[in-house]
Amino acid sequence: MGGVKGILLNSSALFASDDDENEDTTLRPGADYLLRKLRYSKVPTGLSYGQCLSAPKANLLQELASIYSYNCFILSSSSEDNVMSEVTQLWGDDEGSFMHVISSCREDLVHNMVISGWLIIMLGYTGQKSTIDAKYVSASGISSIFSINKLEELPIIICNLNKKARGKESMTVGYVMKCSREEDFAKRGAFPLCPTDNGLIFLPLNYELPISSQLQQVNAVLHKATDEIVAVEMGSSAELANKITFTRNMQELQRYIECQSDCCVIDPFSNIYPVLDRLKIQQILLGLETLNIKGRCKIRGAHFLKVDSFNNPNLEQRLVEAKLPLPNIVKPQVACGVADAHSMAIVFKVDNYKDLDVPLPAVVQEYVDHSSLLYKFYALGGKIFYAVKKSTPNADALMKLSQEKGLKPLLFDSLKSLPIAKSHSQTGCQEHLKANDQHIDLGLVTDAADWLRRMLGLTIFGFDVVIQEGTGDHVIVDVNYLPSFKEVPDDIAIPAFWEALKEKIDSEKSKQPAKAS
C-alpha cells in the first residue's frame, strides 16, 4: 500500500451532530486540532460534504477551507465518482492513496471509494469491523479501512502509512512545543507528515492521547522543554535538574522517554539545563580561551559576576575585581522558561543597584561597545548560519539617553523592547560567506560553535556575538537552545534542520548495539 497523497475530511467527522440537516455548527472535539495540524503538513487536504448539509454547516466549512487554504468538495447524492475524479485532477494521480475521513454513520461512502483505491478512516465505529474488512481487502491482503476513536489519532495513521510506503530508510520524529512556536516552524515547512528528501516524517505528539503508545511509533523526540517550565529555583544549591519544575505533561513525557531506551531525544534534557542558567553558561564560556592564538583576535565570553543581593556593601569592589566598569548589563540568572527571565537593566551608577528591579539571583555582565551590531549565529548540526542585526548603541550613546532621566537604569524586556535601531538585513552561512564582511572572523566563530557543540552536547542551538570596539574581541553574550533561525531563508535553513536531525538520529542508532552489549 502506498503513502497518503491527499486527505478529505468529511463533514460527518468534523461536526458534533451527525444529522446533516441539523444547523448546529459545533465542531467535534479534536476537529480544530486536526485542521491546524494538516494545514502545513504538505499533504493536500480538502473538506467534503453532501448536498443536503444545512446551510450554516456548509457555510462554516467554506469559511474553514478559506482560513486553512483547503479545497471544498460537494458529494453528489447519487455517486462519489465525480468527486473522486475532481480530486485526482486537482491533486494529481501520483503513487499512493487518497484518504477519506468519515463518521461511522456514513458507511454508504465506503464502497465506491475503496473500490477506486481510496483509504477510509471511520471515526467512532463500534460494530464488527472485521465484517467490513472482509469486503474491502486489497489484493495484497491489506485492509483499506481504518477505525479511530478520536480525530487526534489521524496524524499517527498518516505517519505510519507514509513510513511503511517509504520503507526502512524513513524515520518518524515526534515533536512537542508550544503552539505558537510549532506554527512558526510548521508554516516554514519544517514539520511535514510526508517524508522529507532524507526520509524524516514529523508526528505532533498529543497529550490528549497516551504518550507511551505515541512514543512507540517514533524514532526520535524533538522537544522545546523550556516552553513547559513552571518554575526555576536558582537560589537553591541543588543540581540544576532538581531546580526546574516542568508541567505535568512534560514530566510525563520525560518519564516515558526514560523507559524507551531506543528512542533518540533531541536533545537530552540534561544537555539543555546549562542553557537555562546564565551563570553556568558564562562559566562554560571561560573555556573558549583554549581557542585563542597569539596575534589573532580573541573569542571569549563577557566578564561577569553573580549577585544575590543588590544591597551588598562590597558590590562596588566586587565589580572592579570582576573587570566590570560601568555601565553594566544586569540579567536574571534564569535564562528562559519563566515570565521574568528576560527582564533586564543597563546600570550607569553603582547607586542604581539599590532596589534594582531585576529578579535575583542575577548575573552582572560586561557591557561591550560593539558599534550597534549583533551577530546571531545558528548551529544546525555541523552547519553554521548567521544574521547581522542592529543592537544596542555604545555606552556613550546610552549615557546620553539615560541622562534625560537622571542616569536611572534602563529597564527593558529583551524579547519585547530594546533601545536599538531597525534590524539590519544581512545574512550568511558557511557555504556563502560574505567576502566584504571585514568585521567578523567567521572561521574563529565557527571553531567556537564546534567547541560549544561538543561542550553542550546540543544538536541545534544559537548564540549571539558582538565585536568589541578597539580590541576586536569576539564576545559571546548569549546562548540558547532550539532557536527559530528565522533570519535564515527557509530554502536553506529547513533542509539543514532536517539534515541535523537525521545525523543525530543516525549517530544515536549506531551507538545502540554498543549499549546493548
Side-chain angles (χ1 to χ4, degrees), residues 148-167:
I148 58 175
N149 294 316
K150 294 183 176 182
L151 288 173
E152 292 93 338
E153 298 172 38
L154 186 63
I156 299 175
I157 291 180
I158 297 169
C159 281
N160 287 340
L161 289 171
N162 286 337
K163 185 175 183 180
K164 187 172 184 177
R166 181 68 179 252

Side-chain angles (χ1 to χ4, degrees), residues 63-74:
E63 181 181 341
L64 291 172
S66 176
I67 292 171
Y68 294 105
S69 300
Y70 292 161
N71 303 113
C72 262
F73 301 92
I74 302 177

Side-chain angles (χ1 to χ4, degrees), residues 97-381:
S97 301
F98 292 117
M99 174 183 285
H100 202 185
V101 184
I102 63 175
S103 166
S104 58
C105 69
R106 292 306 309 268
E107 285 187 40
D108 57 296
L109 298 175
V110 171
H111 181 77
N112 286 345
M113 289 190 164
V114 170
I115 295 301
S116 299
W118 281 54
L119 303 174
I120 300 295
I121 307 295
M122 297 187 69
L123 176 65
Y125 187 76
T126 57
Q128 294 296 318
K129 182 172 174 288
S130 58
T131 60
I132 297 180
D133 284 345
K135 298 178 183 178
Y136 306 116
V137 172
S138 68
S140 61
I142 301 175
S143 172
S144 297
I145 299 179
F146 301 82
S147 61
I148 58 175
N149 294 316
K150 294 183 176 182
L151 288 173
E152 292 93 338
E153 298 172 38
L154 186 63
I156 299 175
I157 291 180
I158 297 169
C159 281
N160 287 340
L161 289 171
N162 286 337
K163 185 175 183 180
K164 187 172 184 177
R166 181 68 179 252
K168 293 182 179 179
E169 63 185 84
S170 68
M171 291 182 283
T172 303
V173 179
Y175 63 91
V176 58
M177 56 190 67
K178 66 181 180 182
C179 292
S180 59
R181 191 184 311 279
E182 177 187 345
E183 182 160 346
D184 286 343
F185 273 98
K187 66 185 178 183
R188 298 169 66 190
F191 296 147
L193 282 170
C194 52
T196 63
D197 289 340
N198 64 347
L200 297 184
I201 302 169
F202 289 84
L203 174 66
L205 298 178
N206 190 315
Y207 292 123
E208 296 298 318
L209 303 173
I211 285 293
S212 56
S213 60
Q214 292 176 78
L215 290 183
Q216 293 172 10
Q217 310 293 328
V218 305
N219 302 98
V221 172
L222 174 71
H223 66 87
K224 182 75 169 176
T226 53
D227 285 346
E228 298 196 48
I229 293 176
V230 175
V232 182
E233 295 295 333
M234 284 296 181
S236 71
S237 59
E239 286 296 318
L240 194 57
N242 299 322
K243 299 177 185 178
I244 302 169
T245 303
F246 288 105
T247 61
R248 180 181 297 180
N249 287 332
M250 184 55 66
Q251 291 180 42
E252 181 185 12
L253 180 63
Q254 281 184 286
R255 285 195 300 270
Y256 281 115
I257 284 175
E258 291 170 0
C259 298
Q260 295 281 115
S261 59
D262 59 343
C263 181
C264 168
V265 183
I266 308 169
D267 283 304
F269 290 87
S270 57
N271 293 16
I272 70 167
Y273 292 146
V275 184
L276 302 177
D277 186 342
R278 288 192 173 98
L279 177 64
K280 180 66 175 178
I281 282 294
Q282 294 293 158
Q283 292 169 339
I284 290 173
L285 291 177
L286 292 173
L288 288 169
E289 181 63 34
T290 60
L291 301 181
N292 293 320
I293 301 172
K294 189 175 182 180
R296 188 181 181 186
C297 58
K298 292 174 60 176
I299 190 159
R300 62 179 179 87
H303 303 311
F304 66 96
L305 174 69
K306 180 185 176 183
V307 175
D308 293 311
S309 170
F310 293 131
N311 296 315
N312 187 323
N314 299 318
L315 181 58
E316 185 173 5
Q317 180 61 31
R318 293 185 67 204
L319 291 173
V320 172
E321 292 172 353
K323 301 179 182 179
L324 290 169
L326 295 163
N328 312 134
I329 184 165
V330 187
K331 306 176 179 180
Q333 184 178 345
V334 57
C336 58
V338 294
D340 54 6
H342 302 279
S343 298
M344 303 180 184
I346 298 174
V347 177
F348 301 94
K349 299 186 300 184
V350 174
D351 289 345
N352 290 158
Y353 276 101
K354 295 177 181 178
D355 302 317
L356 185 65
D357 190 19
V358 173
L360 289 166
V363 174
V364 179
Q365 191 171 296
E366 166 190 16
Y367 190 85
V368 179
D369 280 347
H370 56 287
S371 305
S372 300
L373 284 181
L374 176 72
Y375 293 80
K376 297 191 72 69
F377 280 84
Y378 303 108
L380 306 182

